[in-house]
Amino acid sequence: MLQVSYIRDNREKVLERLAVKNFKQPQLVDDILKTDFKLREFKTKLDIALHESKFLSSQIPQLKKNKSPQSEIETILLQISVLKEQEPEFKRKVNYYAKKLDRLIVKLPNLPHKSVPRGKTPEENQIVLESGFKPILPTNSLPHWELAKKYNLIDFELGVKITGAGFPVYKGKGAKLQRALIAYFLDEAEKAGYAEVMLPLMVNKASGFGTGQLPDKEGQMYYVKKDDLYLIPTAEVPITNLYRDVILKADELPVKNCGYTACFRREAGSYGAHVRGLNRLHQFDKVEIVQVVHPDDSYRVLESMSAHVQGLLQNLGLPYRVLRLCGGDMGFASALTYDMETWSAAQQRWLEVSSVSNFETFQTNRLKLRFRNAEGKTQLAHTLNGSALALPRIVATLLENNQTDRGIKIPEVLVPYTRFEWID
């Protein structure tokens, strides 16, 4: 959530940066400023009324002691009475405009960083780098959903029977590969200094609001109405909310956490060939890395988190590329996002496997997550998160890119975890 004081002092800059995100309601900025003006106006009136009432009330004992004329005392009592009558209306106005301001400001997305390119579609994202070699597969190569069936790794139809489309069942070596990837990603995160946490898979509205999923992505989240809880779309939500309403010490920064969870997304409106198999699921596994950092460090940290994800892809032997998302393809809460995509040799297309984002103070303002700086004053921290990694498309590209006449070769770094070198 943007800070009202920043919008007030930087109206033109806010409008300019929102335009980069192709925000369709620029008038909302002026609605916020008008509401903020009225809120501050009635706060001032209320403060003056309370102050004057208190001051006048303090004069009466002295007037009585001095045996001042009763008419003078009655005049003051009348003034106090008028002020007391005004106070409830001023309080009502303050409450009304405060709530209105809250409703309006949560509709504003985060401002994109100055390096974010203009653009409206994924095709306008900026390619930062490309690494590795795209494998050339034999003519009889198969996409991952057929490989999964051939080697009895994943049963998509059984998932439909049990739950519905988008909820696959992993079997045998498919389940072991899944578990191996999770353990490997967590071990690498620990080596990088992230403390592992195990997390609830459901969160309350305050948590969803704190990280920016609510009210922006309500339609994409599974909701348990009876308990008023949401299934998490990513471990980012519970991990970041560990620090809601917390004031950290400066020497506690950076805070680094990682966690494995199942993730749940409705993915409403998803259809077509590009959502076959593991390409788009309603339930999937992911290891998430999250940092809370000093504002001066957040963009350096973003690059280090991107490098961490790239290291995982390199170790798995997967060709990949890094994209800087354009304004129109960015998330609501993000100031700058890098997407990592792996090359699917059988599908001949790039598949997104990670997003690494800097949210600056957008989440911490909602979370009231602060730290005490060198001067002893509280200041909003910056938050960042990244997928390290999301499993479905990693599994898809591992299966497709490593298929041979013998079977599917397991990357060397995973063998200690799978305890097998081949799927055959």
Side-chain angles (χ1 to χ4, degrees):
M1 184 168 66
L2 298 181
Q3 293 172 274
V4 182
S5 58
Y6 183 85
I7 301 171
R8 190 189 309 135
D9 296 338
N10 300 275
R11 176 183 176 277
E12 295 305 319
K13 184 178 180 180
V14 168
L15 289 169
E16 175 190 323
R17 299 316 298 162
L18 287 174
V20 174
K21 265 196 172 180
N22 299 297
F23 186 60
K24 305 299 184 185
Q25 304 175 58
Q27 76 282 355
L28 182 58
V29 172
D30 285 331
D31 291 344
I32 288 169
L33 291 176
K34 289 175 185 175
T35 304
D36 173 58
F37 176 82
K38 297 298 287 186
L39 174 60
R40 288 184 293 119
E41 177 187 358
F42 281 102
K43 275 185 175 179
T44 300
K45 288 182 177 180
L46 178 59
D47 288 344
I48 291 172
L50 291 170
H51 176 77
E52 289 188 358
S53 178
K54 185 178 180 180
F55 174 77
L56 291 171
S57 296
S58 70
Q59 302 303 303
I60 292 176
Q62 188 63 41
L63 290 172
K64 289 182 177 179
K65 184 178 179 181
N66 295 340
K67 297 183 179 181
S68 299
Q70 184 64 27
S71 59
E72 187 175 343
I73 295 174
E74 288 177 357
T75 299
I76 291 177
L77 289 171
L78 181 60
Q79 290 175 319
I80 293 171
S81 176
V82 170
L83 290 168
K84 291 290 186 184
E85 288 178 3
Q86 291 174 337
E87 286 174 19
E89 178 62 13
F90 291 156
K91 287 179 181 178
R92 189 186 69 79
K93 291 286 189 180
V94 166
N95 187 53
Y96 169 79
Y97 285 112
K99 288 182 177 179
K100 183 178 180 181
L101 184 61
D102 286 344
R103 288 197 305 272
L104 293 173
I105 202 163
V106 296
K107 297 178 182 179
L108 275 187
N110 200 0
L111 303 181
H113 186 260
K114 61 184 178 182
S115 67
V116 171
R118 290 182 177 271
K120 297 182 179 180
T121 66
E123 289 70 34
E124 296 169 276
N125 292 335
Q126 187 179 82
I127 299 174
V128 176
L129 65 86
E130 194 169 316
S131 177
F133 299 96
K134 298 176 181 178
I136 299 173
L137 300 181
T139 54
N140 63 344
S141 61
L142 300 172
H144 69 271
W145 53 86
E146 292 186 26
L147 291 168
K149 186 173 184 179
K150 178 180 178 179
Y151 294 105
N152 196 29
L153 304 174
I154 307 168
D155 195 321
F156 295 101
E157 289 75 18
L158 194 54
V160 172
K161 173 186 175 182
I162 297 170
T163 307
F167 296 87
V169 174
Y170 297 86
K171 303 166 67 177
K173 286 187 174 180
K176 289 180 179 178
L177 176 60
Q178 192 85 347
R179 178 158 49 90
L181 283 164
I182 293 165
Y184 171 62
F185 294 155
L186 286 172
D187 283 353
E188 291 300 299
E190 183 181 9
K191 290 177 187 176
Y194 292 89
E196 183 179 349
V197 289
M198 294 192 72
L199 305 150
L201 298 182
M202 291 192 287
V203 293
N204 54 31
K205 284 183 177 178
S207 294
F209 175 81
T211 44
Q213 277 72 28
L214 298 176
D216 179 54
K217 291 185 173 62
E218 267 179 309
Q220 291 295 322
M221 296 171 71
Y222 285 98
Y223 178 55
V224 183
K225 185 176 181 180
K226 186 174 182 179
D227 301 294
D228 196 22
L229 296 172
Y230 293 85
L231 274 69
I232 61 169
T234 166
E236 166 207 347
V237 182
I239 292 178
T240 313
N241 272 277
L242 293 173
Y243 303 96
R244 175 156 39 99
D245 297 318
V246 169
I247 299 176
L248 297 164
K249 297 175 183 176
D251 60 7
E252 292 180 293
L253 300 177
V255 174
K256 302 171 70 174
N257 287 121
C258 69
Y260 152 69
T261 64
C263 304
F264 304 88
R265 298 182 187 177
R266 294 187 63 244
E267 299 288 5
S270 298
Y271 60 92
H274 287 176
V275 302
R276 289 196 66 178
L278 297 171
N279 288 347
R280 193 173 296 277
L281 301 175
H282 294 304
Q283 178 182 323
F284 60 95
D285 293 319
K286 182 152 69 83
V287 171
E288 194 81 1
I289 53 175
V290 175
Q291 291 204 40
V292 181
V293 305
H294 192 287
D296 294 346
D297 297 333
S298 65
Y299 281 95
R300 177 188 58 77
V301 170
L302 179 66
E303 297 302 325
S304 72
M305 292 174 73
S306 172
H308 176 79
V309 174
Q310 292 179 56
L312 298 175
L313 297 173
Q314 291 164 8
N315 292 344
L316 291 172
L318 293 173
Y320 70 90
R321 68 180 185 180
V322 180
L323 306 176
R324 181 184 286 109
L325 297 193
C326 69
D329 198 33
M330 287 177 65
F332 180 83
S334 174
L336 177 60
T337 296
Y338 290 123
D339 270 6
M340 283 70 168
E341 299 179 333
T342 56
W343 177 251
S344 163
Q347 299 178 67
Q348 290 289 294
R349 57 188 289 256
W350 292 100
L351 300 177
E352 180 197 332
V353 293
S354 175
S355 283
V356 182
S357 300
N358 187 352
F359 302 102
E360 297 185 355
T361 61
F362 193 82
Q363 291 182 333
T364 55
N365 192 29
R366 289 172 171 235
L367 294 160
K368 295 181 174 59
L369 167 51
R370 295 155 290 170
F371 70 99
R372 204 170 295 281
N373 62 26
E375 291 75 36
K377 296 180 180 179
T378 57
Q379 181 180 346
L380 291 172
H382 280 196
T383 54
L384 304 95
N385 82 273
S387 314
L389 285 157
L391 271 69
R393 294 168 188 168
I394 290 291
V395 171
T397 50
L398 283 177
L399 296 179
E400 292 178 3
N401 294 7
N402 294 324
Q403 60 183 300
T404 70
D405 291 337
R406 173 181 169 177
I408 299 167
K409 184 78 168 68
I410 298 299
E412 186 177 339
V413 293
L414 293 181
V415 173
Y417 296 91
T418 59
R419 297 191 295 278
F420 56 81
E421 298 181 22
W422 288 89
I423 295 174
D424 51 18

